[in-house]
Amino acid sequence: MKTEDFYYDLPEELIAQYPIEDREESRLLVLDKKTGKLEDRIFKDIIDYFYPGDCLVLNDTRVIPARLFGSREGKKEKIEFLLLKRVERDTWETLVRPGKKVKPNNRIIFGDGLLIADVLSINEDGTRNVKFIYDGIFEEILDKLGEMPLPPYIKGELKDKERYQTVYSKHEGSAAAPTAGLHFTMELLKRIEEKRVNIAYLTLHVGLGTFRPVKVENIEEHHMHSEYYEVSKEAADIINRTKSEGGRIIAVGTTSTRTLETVANQKGEIIPSKGWTDIFIYPGYEFKIIDGLITNFHLPESTLLMLVCAFAGKDNIFNAYKYAIENKFRFFSFGDAMFIK
């Protein structure tokens, strides 16, 4: 299967640069994956597609201000760091630009010495492992010096950092938001619960896999970057009970989907666990647990687009994207949503 099979043309003006004022007023394109039928709705209408006894699965990760700007000790040029994942307490895997200038044993200074990074090693994929040196609490220093790691296609400045967080974000550690969840408000979640829909929370810290394009010709050769997840016994029990009672499992986002498919056994039961996943879902994959998917519109040739094609069928997805482009839906992180049922 070729990477180019997942290419489509997108007018640049359809790439959403800012979140809309009211989260649940985003547009919603509903796709029936069995028939290919499309419905054009508003996101708050999502509640009409849930039945009592269904289970909505949300990723409660919280984005850290993971973008830092500093300079090499004794040099003036600007070096950009993107924190990808914590390897151990003060050691992080980072994406560095420009990478050629940053070598092992280099020291990077941030905020006039408030934070210092010693470069330990260069990994096979070009990322760097660095050890941070500081006085005080790392998270507080990061809040002071760091910026929200908005994707490169978003050119504007985000005035309210919370708009790149879900309203239910809880556990810090992501380098990007699980953007399908950005459409939910606490009021909408309350209405969903009042409809007797179960809600389960898991955690997947979004890392480099979100940013990395597929560069190989054959998608089977692409290697996903691993990301840390946790699925509690409480969440597993809610999901397993829903499934056993005939309810549907509806994942919010590709991150929730990848986590569920990682921890589900062949019987479709969720096993409580935590660890690292590098699962890559593309057409031909047989889903073990999810019945529905809420997601955004994804970049051409991305692993996220391949995942939704695996779930709904490539023809269905490309027909839906064609409709979305013709009807001027907003694309990518701050864009509109799809519900695949």
Side-chain angles (χ1 to χ4, degrees):
M1 203 172 301
K2 305 291 187 186
T3 300
E4 64 187 22
D5 294 337
F6 297 89
Y7 179 80
Y8 67 91
D9 278 318
L10 179 71
E12 192 172 342
E13 64 268 20
L14 296 185
I15 300 174
Q17 294 298 313
Y18 301 96
I20 67 167
E21 189 171 340
D22 187 342
R23 291 174 186 258
E24 62 180 59
E25 291 292 331
S26 297
R27 293 173 71 186
L28 174 69
L29 186 60
V30 180
L31 167 63
D32 186 323
K33 69 189 185 92
K34 291 180 181 175
T35 66
K37 180 186 173 187
L38 297 170
E39 296 175 74
D40 195 330
R41 305 288 296 269
I42 301 298
F43 190 79
K44 62 186 177 184
D45 299 335
I46 191 77
I47 195 167
D48 296 341
Y49 296 92
F50 297 152
Y51 307 127
D54 285 344
C55 180
L56 194 64
V57 182
L58 303 163
N59 180 8
D60 64 7
T61 188
R62 186 166 174 80
V63 186
I64 59 174
R67 180 164 278 132
L68 290 163
F69 293 94
S71 57
R72 284 187 297 165
E73 193 171 40
K75 305 286 183 181
K76 289 186 177 179
E77 81 273 271
K78 188 161 68 172
I79 303 292
E80 179 185 353
F81 271 39
L82 181 64
L83 308 188
L84 297 175
K85 65 185 181 188
R86 184 177 247 136
V87 178
E88 50 187 41
R89 189 181 168 206
D90 290 322
T91 302
W92 285 75
E93 184 179 337
T94 62
L95 191 63
V96 180
R97 298 188 186 98
K100 290 180 181 178
K101 291 185 179 291
V102 180
K103 297 178 171 58
N105 300 317
N106 282 174
R107 174 164 278 195
I108 312 299
I109 311 296
F110 304 95
D112 296 323
L114 194 61
L115 184 66
I116 296 169
D118 285 337
V119 181
L120 303 178
S121 61
I122 301 176
N123 301 316
E124 283 184 20
D125 60 3
T127 58
R128 269 73 170 163
N129 280 6
V130 305
K131 183 177 178 65
F132 286 108
I133 301 165
Y134 55 91
D135 289 324
I137 298 170
F138 180 74
E139 287 74 16
E140 290 181 359
I141 294 170
L142 200 60
D143 274 339
K144 185 173 183 179
L145 299 180
E147 297 179 7
M148 293 304 278
L150 296 178
Y153 50 76
I154 293 177
K155 311 300 182 188
E157 184 181 342
L158 187 63
K159 293 178 181 176
D160 179 3
K161 289 183 179 181
E162 284 302 308
R163 291 310 307 270
Y164 196 56
Q165 306 278 13
T166 62
V167 296
Y168 47 82
S169 64
K170 186 175 182 182
H171 301 291
E172 292 191 334
S174 272
T179 54
L182 295 178
H183 307 284
F184 287 92
T185 62
M186 294 309 293
E187 292 77 17
L188 179 56
L189 288 170
K190 184 180 178 184
R191 295 199 300 273
I192 289 169
E193 283 188 306
E194 287 170 351
K195 197 171 180 177
R196 291 187 290 119
V197 173
N198 302 309
I199 296 180
Y201 293 93
L202 50 75
T203 305
L204 180 122
H205 292 319
V206 188
L208 184 60
T210 292
F211 298 92
R212 170 173 284 163
V214 179
K215 293 183 177 179
V216 293
E217 184 180 354
N218 298 310
I219 67 172
E220 294 90 345
E221 297 170 11
H222 177 71
H223 177 66
M224 289 287 283
H225 202 269
S226 63
E227 296 166 314
Y228 182 77
Y229 71 86
E230 291 189 13
V231 179
S232 66
K233 183 179 185 302
E234 179 186 7
D237 287 347
I238 292 170
I239 296 165
N240 290 334
R241 186 173 67 247
T242 297
K243 203 75 172 175
S244 68
E245 293 174 355
R248 298 175 304 163
I249 308 303
I250 298 166
V252 177
T254 57
T255 60
S256 297
T257 300
R258 292 177 64 245
T259 305
L260 290 171
E261 292 296 321
T262 294
V263 301
N265 63 21
Q266 291 304 317
K267 296 178 183 177
E269 298 168 333
I270 297 297
I271 311 301
S273 61
K274 56 186 176 181
W276 298 87
T277 180
D278 61 358
I279 188 172
F280 178 21
I281 297 175
Y282 54 87
Y285 179 86
E286 292 189 11
F287 287 83
K288 295 176 287 191
I289 183 71
I290 75 163
D291 302 295
L293 172 61
I294 296 169
T295 187
N296 278 19
F297 294 94
H298 303 296
L299 277 74
E301 299 184 336
S302 64
T303 60
L304 310 182
L305 180 60
M306 293 169 190
L307 185 153
V308 296
C309 286
F311 184 64
K314 182 171 176 287
D315 288 346
N316 281 341
I317 290 295
F318 272 68
N319 285 337
Y321 274 49
K322 182 173 182 288
Y323 177 91
I325 291 168
E326 289 172 351
N327 289 275
K328 301 196 181 311
F329 275 68
R330 301 161 71 249
F331 276 62
F332 305 163
S333 295
F334 286 141
D336 296 314
M338 281 186 75
F339 175 45
I340 305 169
K341 62 173 186 167

